[in-house]
Amino acid sequence: MVPSDFKALIQRFYHLQSERVETYQLFDEGHEAYLRTGPHYDFDHYKQLVHEITQAFCGISKEMLEIKEKLHHQFDRPALSEHIEKLQSKEKHKLELTARLQLARQRAQDHPEDEGCQEHIQEIKHEIIKNKEALSEVLQDFKYDSEEFD
């Protein structure tokens, strides 16, 4: 029998991951709106969005690290803890790629004559796809290992 507080912790983990997905969607939508204000961009509004997104990601990461520690020390599940560590690292890389993609999209919009911009965007999108695949693998491993004792 798995303790209910362990199950609650796992459920919280999945809830935080879904919050992360929603936060990325808001970030993408906000950037699209920002690009529509070009060529005289509404940077103040976008800067506020970035601040709010950063706070949301920091809150999610902080709680993920707390879950990681509990899984390792309270529940003696170091494998799950390691999965969260890998996940956090890949999520950090995804955020960096997302920021690079947003900058590349703005550059492409500002310089439509530069064919290299579109190429750069495609390269970053490819890296994001690889990153999402790696994230999916980590989440699958987490799911498998967390259900091990059910």
Side-chain angles (χ1 to χ4, degrees):
M1 182 76 187
V2 178
S4 62
D5 47 346
F6 175 79
K7 285 185 176 181
L9 200 59
I10 299 302
Q11 287 174 340
R12 184 65 187 148
F13 166 84
Y14 284 116
H15 178 77
L16 288 169
Q17 262 317 103
S18 67
E19 276 185 34
R20 231 180 214 152
V21 170
E22 290 172 19
T23 303
Y24 271 110
Q25 288 171 337
L26 291 172
F27 197 24
D28 287 341
E29 290 168 9
H31 187 256
E32 290 298 320
Y34 169 70
L35 288 179
R36 286 192 296 273
T37 66
H40 305 290
Y41 297 102
D42 182 1
F43 186 70
D44 289 338
H45 191 254
Y46 181 66
K47 191 167 95 173
Q48 180 62 34
L49 170 74
V50 170
H51 174 73
E52 291 168 11
I53 296 296
T54 301
Q55 284 186 314
F57 280 135
C58 285
I60 292 167
S61 290
K62 182 177 183 269
E63 199 169 340
M64 281 289 197
L65 293 174
E66 290 168 4
I67 290 172
K68 173 186 169 256
E69 289 304 308
K70 286 179 183 176
L71 287 170
H72 190 78
H73 298 293
Q74 279 181 261
F75 295 100
D76 193 28
R77 300 293 294 274
L80 293 177
S81 183
E82 287 174 28
H83 294 320
I84 291 177
E85 192 167 318
K86 288 178 190 170
L87 183 78
Q88 288 293 101
S89 173
K90 297 201 179 312
E91 286 288 358
K92 180 181 180 203
H93 185 60
K94 181 182 174 186
L95 186 57
E96 291 166 356
L97 290 170
T98 300
R100 283 180 41 209
L101 180 61
Q102 289 182 356
L103 289 171
R105 283 182 171 156
Q106 182 175 345
R107 179 162 174 74
Q109 181 169 304
D110 293 344
H111 304 283
E113 73 287 349
D114 186 348
E115 294 171 17
C117 289
Q118 289 304 321
E119 207 172 286
H120 188 58
I121 288 171
Q122 291 309 314
E123 289 169 8
I124 297 170
K125 283 182 175 181
H126 182 69
E127 283 186 66
I128 289 173
I129 289 168
K130 289 192 321 190
N131 176 272
K132 286 180 177 180
E133 289 169 353
L135 279 167
S136 290
E137 280 183 37
V138 174
L139 287 169
Q140 193 65 36
D141 290 344
F142 184 90
K143 182 180 188 304
Y144 175 80
D145 288 345
S146 68
E147 294 172 347
E148 192 172 37
F149 296 110
D150 268 358

